[in-house]
Amino acid sequence: MTSVKTNDLVTLAQWMAGDFSNYKQSFEKPRQFAHIHIFFRPLPFEFFNGIGFYSEQVYDHDLWSPYRQGVHRLVDFGDQIYIENYGLDDPMLYAGAARELSILRTITPNCIERRYHCSMIFFREGEMFRGSVEPGNKCLIERNGCLTYLISDVEITETTWLSLDRGMDMENHQQVWGSTFGPLQFEKRASFADELPLDRL
């Protein structure tokens, strides 16, 4: 890896590591947006022999019941950074791990499974990283008995996180789930960048 690209990967990891909240958006538009937290907590270097994260998305009123959990591995591909996504075999065993390190330490590589075709691809654009799910419409998610493919777009800066996830019908390509009011707009409330194992890279 070149030093420039390694620096981009490190920068993206530092910006991702945190507790993000869309409080301002939910306060201004409560009918369109619930108050949500996204947590990205760094994993030990040994987990992937590199940079990895555990993530949770939770409603502010129910922090112990995340509606989305995942494990993520950052991989340098030269002019772009891949984030591989993994599901947990029994997610609720690890609910709260983004806030309680004692729970986080119980997550091992044996309890995750790769979500193929669901990697996010990020590019640096000045003081921002833009990411989207890998092409091909093969990241499949079943919702309410309907098989959908995921379209996901993300913008990350040092202090903000914008995301828009939509599930599209496999047959007619119409939106089945996801926001119809635009992207979720998060602001970083706390940074976990000091937990990144950068000295091991």
Side-chain angles (χ1 to χ4, degrees), residues 52-181:
F53 286 94
Y54 166 77
S55 73
E56 287 185 348
Q57 294 189 26
V58 297
Y59 293 111
D60 181 73
H61 67 269
D62 195 5
L63 292 176
W64 288 101
S65 301
Y67 64 85
R68 186 180 299 172
Q69 296 163 264
V71 170
H72 317 275
R73 176 177 177 239
L74 274 62
V75 184
D76 200 325
F77 272 81
D79 62 342
Q80 56 198 22
I81 298 167
Y82 267 55
I83 299 183
E84 297 173 352
N85 288 315
Y86 296 79
L88 292 152
D89 292 339
D90 194 348
M92 290 312 293
L93 280 179
Y94 311 103
R99 293 176 294 113
E100 295 288 344
L101 294 181
S102 60
I103 304 174
L104 185 74
R105 295 188 188 102
T106 67
I107 302 175
T108 69
N110 294 329
C111 64
I112 65 173
E113 186 173 345
R114 177 82 181 271
R115 295 185 64 218
Y116 288 99
H117 311 298
C118 295
S119 294
M120 295 290 290
I121 304 173
F122 280 85
F123 298 88
R124 178 88 182 246
E125 290 187 6
E127 294 305 304
M128 175 191 297
F129 287 92
R130 292 185 187 273
S132 56
V133 71
E134 59 186 299
N137 298 340
K138 294 181 180 179
C139 183
L140 304 181
I141 298 173
E142 186 172 332
R143 285 283 177 89
N144 302 322
C146 178
L147 191 62
T148 66
Y149 61 88
L150 174 67
I151 295 179
S152 181
D153 295 294
V154 178
E155 294 179 2
I156 299 172
T157 72
E158 187 172 5
T159 59
T160 64
W161 183 299
L162 268 65
S163 64
L164 180 59
D165 291 347
R166 291 166 290 161
M168 314 300 286
D169 187 281
M170 293 290 294
E171 301 299 326
N172 60 29
H173 308 290
Q174 298 297 307
Q175 182 171 338
V176 175
W177 58 266
S179 173
T180 56
F181 300 104

